[in-house]
Amino acid sequence: MSKNQWDERFAEEGFVYGTQVNEFVREKAAVLPESAKVACFAEGEGRNAVFLATQGHEVTAYDQSQVGLDKMSELARKQGVGVMPVQADLTQEEVGTLNNDAAVMVFGHVPKSGQPFLMKNLFTSVKPGGYILVEVYSEAQLDYGTGGPPSKELLYDPADVLRWVEGCKVLHFYYGEAVRHEGDRHTGLGHVIQVVAQKS
């Protein structure tokens, strides 16, 4: 989806994907050091970034939709935390070499041509020894119809994900079914790819 399309989606009343943290992030956040510096990519309306901020982390959230980031800032204020919003097209704009302790991306679905650039952004943002946490829908999700893009072109191949984490210490890799109830766009049993990796 283009920036304007995401702006239109996030302009809907309420939070499209809800305000509760993604289950994978909730389960795996324990791997992060205390008071970690965390970058959340394709963060949308900010549910994961805000959760991580409530856990005491210093969080920057990247998304191409300013509307989504504005809603995230509103959610953060209600939770009594701060999250730094950065509007950027992560498939075209480099975030640069940063010193983050972790990078997190949940359901950051972009065309296959942009996926390598996006993943490079994630890895570049993390310092050696830092962590990468990713959950996305796999191409098999098309058979489930419970959320995510209705196009294989916008879904992920597990072989690609394994290639992107080559050279890292892979702490967790999962390719299979998971139940997600997140707003009205992720509704039930789906098929995901998860990875937790430590950058070498």
Side-chain angles (χ1 to χ4, degrees):
M1 294 176 76
S2 70
K3 175 185 171 184
N4 287 340
Q5 287 173 306
W6 280 113
D7 280 345
E8 289 171 11
R9 174 169 290 187
F10 292 142
E12 296 176 15
E13 188 175 348
F15 284 74
V16 176
Y17 299 100
T19 59
Q20 297 301 308
V21 64
N22 166 266
E23 188 65 19
F24 166 73
V25 173
R26 187 188 65 77
E27 290 175 357
K28 300 301 181 184
V31 74
L32 304 179
E34 287 189 17
S35 304
K37 194 174 179 184
V38 182
C40 291
F41 288 82
E43 180 54 16
E45 298 165 311
R47 59 200 173 95
N48 302 305
V50 170
F51 168 80
L52 291 167
T54 67
Q55 303 302 299
H57 301 303
E58 179 186 342
V59 185
T60 301
Y62 296 87
D63 199 87
Q64 64 177 351
S65 170
Q66 188 61 50
V67 174
L69 291 171
D70 289 345
K71 289 173 82 172
M72 177 200 70
S73 296
E74 174 192 340
L75 181 63
R77 281 193 298 272
K78 288 181 178 177
Q79 296 288 334
V81 296
V83 177
M84 175 67 71
V86 178
Q87 192 274 318
D89 182 343
L90 297 165
T91 64
Q92 297 186 28
E93 300 173 60
E94 294 183 355
V95 299
T97 302
L98 303 174
N99 199 34
N100 291 306
D101 297 300
V104 175
M105 186 180 77
V106 173
F107 301 128
H109 290 279
V110 300
K112 287 195 182 293
S113 60
Q115 289 175 7
F117 192 100
L118 172 59
M119 295 302 293
K120 183 182 177 184
N121 257 334
L122 260 78
F123 282 84
T124 301
S125 76
V126 175
K127 67 184 182 183
Y131 297 91
I132 294 95
L133 284 71
V134 172
E135 179 175 80
V136 290
Y137 281 124
S138 77
E139 293 174 354
Q141 174 64 11
L142 286 176
D143 296 329
Y144 289 76
T146 53
S151 166
K152 185 177 178 180
E153 171 64 17
L154 294 164
L155 296 168
Y156 287 82
D157 183 332
D160 290 336
V161 177
L162 285 171
R163 188 167 61 251
W164 294 325
V165 298
E166 191 174 349
C168 294
K169 182 179 181 181
V170 177
L171 307 175
H172 169 85
F173 183 85
Y174 177 72
Y175 172 62
E177 293 184 333
V179 174
R180 293 290 174 263
H181 291 288
E182 303 174 332
D184 60 3
R185 302 298 175 103
H186 295 163
T187 57
L189 185 67
H191 204 277
V192 302
I193 304 167
Q194 301 172 346
V195 64
V196 179
Q198 186 172 24
K199 189 174 176 180
S200 56

